[in-house]
Amino acid sequence: MSNTWAIRPAAGQTEWASRPRYALSDVPTLLWRERWLMAAVFVGIFAVGGGFALTLKPKFEAHSSVLVRLGQEYVYEPRAGDAARGAVPETGQVLESESAILNSDVLKERVIRHIGYAQLFPRDAAKYAAANDAGKATLILKAAQALGRNLKINTAPDTPVIQLTYDDGDARRAAKVLNTLLEEYLIYRRSVLIDPTFDAFEQQRRDFQSRLDQADQRYQQFLTGNQIGDFEAEKTSLSQLQSQVEQQQYATEAQLKERSGRLDGLEKAMAGIPAEIGLYHDADTTASARLADLRVQREGLLSRYRPDSQPVKDLQSQIDQLQSAIAAGRTSNLGAQRTGVNPVFQTLQTEKLQLTAEVAALRQTLATLTQQESDLMQRRLRLAQLEPQYQALTRDRDVLQGNVRDFTVKAQESQASLNIAKNTNDNIRIVERALEPTTGKSLKAPVFVLSFLFGAFSALCAGLLRLYLRPGLPTAATAARTLDLPVLGVAPVKAA
């Protein structure tokens, strides 16, 4: 006889008018009724999970770390010009870039080919050996994906270090895979980050050099055709010469005016000066001698006669008459005279001749300077007409020379950077290489616990589902709540 009490629907009634109404206090009792079902579900799930846990093998984790610093390959070098030259990314961007290279499938394939597919996946060694090239490529691709699932790459903010972890069932293989990955990474990153642009730069330099040679030829033809040695030097020289000629012209004009003024003054002065003058004349001393003789005679008479005697008076009268004549100038006579060239006139005439010669010379000089200035001006005008063409040729030559110089420098720098990059990785340091792990991590205990918890949860869910799907009212309290009627009595259900 069953210990379960229930109220059955009346004859001819297949279902209750409403679903059973349960209380929380009914759940333990009802679940106890489904204990065998719950036990079966729990045991089945736990047995499957436990069996799977027993098949799990321990995993060995190999650890390594890489120090990443800013290197030359991250410094922006424009291919042409200097715009944004020297720009560098942030540390986080550099770490992301290096992490992406470490996590690339190409790098993983290089690791697989370096170590060997058979050593990494011994179970599939025969299959790999029997496959064709396409099949081997597919197997390597799948192996790279499997290797990526076991590889973990971690970075920390503001820390230039990349942490790498690789787990494998074999401790030695785990360390070997991680160390090989680091070695291949140092080689592979060069081909990714270092751009071998030497050939492109060299080709571009040769193209610019060819164009520069053509520009030089046109430039030389321009100078030769216009009889110009050095355009800028000749332009400067013509400017200086014209300035000097103008200064000499102004000075010559001033001297010409000064000499012409002096010449006009001399001509006016010479108009009033005689060409000849008396040089000297002889003086007539007859009257003076006669007067002296008369005086001597008077003195002789005075020695014999008295002063008032008649002979003395007659002689005195002659003396007085002669003195009056001498005083009046009646007895003067020029005597012999000589004339000659006026020295003043001669001096002025000599100076006139000199000034006339100087004026003529200055006029000739002024005419020559005027002609020179005209020639220089015509030459400068000719150079001014040729200057746009000269500037265009010079600009092309300068630009091409600058391009040739820049691409020569870039080609040399690219070659030097490539040679350095082939031999070293200055900004990458392996802080810690992978060592063979001594202890492994097993998932048996976690899988057992999860199996137990999942089995218990599944059993509980199965019991609750069976509880709500079972027909009838299992208890008197459930019947009273469902039918809103008091239960006056219960009777055990007899077995059919």
Side-chain angles (χ1 to χ4, degrees):
M1 180 179 295
S2 174
N3 295 329
T4 303
W5 298 85
I7 299 177
R8 299 292 184 184
Q13 185 177 0
T14 60
E15 191 63 45
W16 297 102
S18 61
R19 301 296 301 169
R21 297 167 61 184
Y22 298 106
L24 185 61
S25 58
D26 297 333
V27 173
T29 303
L30 298 176
L31 289 178
W32 177 252
R33 294 178 55 189
E34 309 298 339
R35 61 185 177 278
W36 301 114
L37 175 63
M38 294 171 61
V41 171
F42 172 76
V43 171
I45 293 177
F46 184 70
V48 172
F52 176 74
L54 293 176
T55 61
L56 294 178
K57 296 182 179 180
K59 292 286 186 179
F60 296 91
E61 288 188 352
H63 300 275
S64 180
S65 59
V66 177
L67 176 64
V68 178
R69 296 180 299 180
L70 184 64
Q72 180 65 30
E73 59 269 20
Y74 285 103
V75 180
Y76 177 66
E77 291 290 341
R79 300 188 186 276
D82 294 327
R85 180 186 294 273
V88 295
E90 297 180 356
T91 304
Q93 296 174 336
V94 175
L95 289 176
E96 291 179 2
S97 174
E98 298 294 338
S99 299
I101 296 175
L102 281 168
N103 202 30
S104 63
D105 290 338
V106 176
L107 181 60
K108 297 168 187 174
E109 291 181 6
R110 291 169 65 100
V111 172
I112 295 172
R113 295 181 185 277
H114 186 274
I115 297 177
Y117 185 91
Q119 294 186 16
L120 291 176
F121 304 95
R123 293 182 179 180
D124 298 333
K127 182 179 179 181
Y128 179 80
N132 55 15
D133 293 340
K136 290 180 178 180
T138 302
L139 290 174
I140 289 178
L141 179 60
K142 292 181 179 179
Q145 296 174 354
L147 189 147
R149 288 191 293 270
N150 295 331
L151 177 66
K152 297 178 182 178
I153 302 174
N154 299 317
T155 59
D158 300 329
T159 303
V161 177
I162 300 177
Q163 300 288 343
L164 295 95
T165 303
Y166 181 78
D167 54 3
D168 195 285
D170 186 271
R172 180 175 299 177
R173 188 167 57 205
K176 184 176 182 180
V177 168
L178 194 53
N179 288 328
T180 305
L181 178 71
L182 293 177
E183 294 172 359
E184 292 295 329
Y185 157 71
L186 295 178
I187 300 173
Y188 175 64
R189 68 181 297 275
R190 299 170 189 164
S191 61
V192 175
L193 298 177
I194 303 299
D195 187 11
T197 56
F198 173 75
D199 294 336
F201 284 143
E202 185 63 23
Q203 180 62 38
Q204 195 65 31
R205 187 197 66 80
R206 287 195 294 267
D207 293 341
F208 278 118
Q209 184 63 49
S210 176
R211 294 169 58 184
L212 178 61
D213 294 339
Q214 297 176 3
D216 286 336
Q217 185 177 2
R218 293 193 299 268
Y219 180 79
Q220 295 299 330
Q221 291 176 354
F222 167 80
L223 295 179
T224 304
N226 294 280
Q227 297 181 353
I228 300 174
D230 188 338
F231 189 92
E232 295 295 339
E234 185 165 352
K235 181 180 176 181
T236 304
S237 176
L238 288 176
S239 178
Q240 294 176 353
L241 285 176
Q242 186 175 11
S243 178
Q244 294 175 2
V245 169
E246 288 179 352
Q247 292 177 1
Q248 292 178 3
Q249 186 179 9
Y250 291 145
T252 302
E253 288 179 351
Q255 292 177 2
L256 179 59
K257 290 180 180 179
E258 188 264 337
R259 299 293 194 282
S260 298
R262 289 176 58 189
L263 182 59
D264 293 339
L266 284 176
E267 290 177 348
K268 292 179 181 179
M270 290 177 64
I273 298 175
E276 294 182 354
I277 59 172
L279 299 178
Y280 66 91
H281 61 273
D282 296 334
D284 188 4
T285 61
T286 303
S288 299
R290 178 62 180 164
L291 179 62
D293 290 341
L294 292 175
R295 288 176 178 176
V296 170
Q297 291 177 10
R298 189 190 64 173
E299 292 298 327
L301 291 175
L302 287 175
S303 65
R304 297 189 304 268
Y305 299 97
R306 295 178 60 184
D308 57 350
S309 64
Q310 188 63 37
V312 175
K313 290 181 179 181
D314 292 338
L315 189 57
Q316 182 66 41
S317 175
Q318 292 179 8
I319 293 173
D320 294 337
Q321 184 66 30
L322 184 58
Q323 286 181 346
S324 299
I326 292 173
R330 294 190 298 270
T331 61
S332 61
N333 188 6
L334 294 177
Q337 292 185 354
R338 180 178 293 181
T339 61
V341 179
N342 190 348
V344 175
F345 182 84
Q346 188 177 19
T347 302
L348 294 177
Q349 190 176 28
T350 302
E351 187 175 357
K352 177 183 176 182
L353 292 175
Q354 292 178 352
L355 288 175
T356 302
E358 290 180 4
V359 168
L362 289 173
R363 286 176 179 172
Q364 183 64 33
T365 302
L366 183 60
T368 303
L369 292 174
T370 303
Q371 183 62 38
Q372 289 179 354
E373 183 188 14
S374 177
D375 294 341
L376 290 173
M377 180 59 68
Q378 293 299 324
R379 184 62 175 170
R380 291 191 65 186
L381 292 176
R382 175 61 177 165
L383 290 181
Q385 293 176 354
L386 296 174
E387 187 169 9
Q389 184 179 358
Y390 168 78
Q391 294 293 344
L393 293 173
T394 304
R395 181 172 57 252
D396 292 342
R397 289 179 69 249
D398 292 342
V399 172
L400 291 173
Q401 286 175 353
N403 289 334
V404 170
R405 181 176 59 256
D406 292 342
F407 278 100
T408 301
V409 173
K410 290 180 181 295
Q412 297 299 327
E413 290 179 350
S414 176
Q415 184 66 28
S417 299
L418 185 61
N419 293 335
I420 294 173
K422 289 180 179 179
N423 300 320
T424 182
N425 289 276
D426 291 336
N427 60 320
I428 303 298
R429 293 287 187 273
I430 298 178
V431 179
E432 178 186 6
R433 288 189 175 272
L435 300 177
E436 183 177 342
T438 57
T439 58
K441 294 182 179 179
S442 177
L443 296 178
K444 290 182 179 180
V447 170
F448 270 116
V449 173
L450 290 176
S451 299
F452 178 83
L453 295 177
F454 184 70
F457 178 75
S458 299
L460 178 62
C461 292
L464 292 175
L465 181 64
R466 183 71 180 86
L467 182 153
Y468 283 103
L469 293 179
R470 183 186 291 275
L473 299 173
T475 63
T478 303
R481 283 192 300 272
T482 302
L483 302 176
D484 290 330
L485 295 174
V487 178
L488 301 178
V490 294
V493 178
K494 294 181 180 180

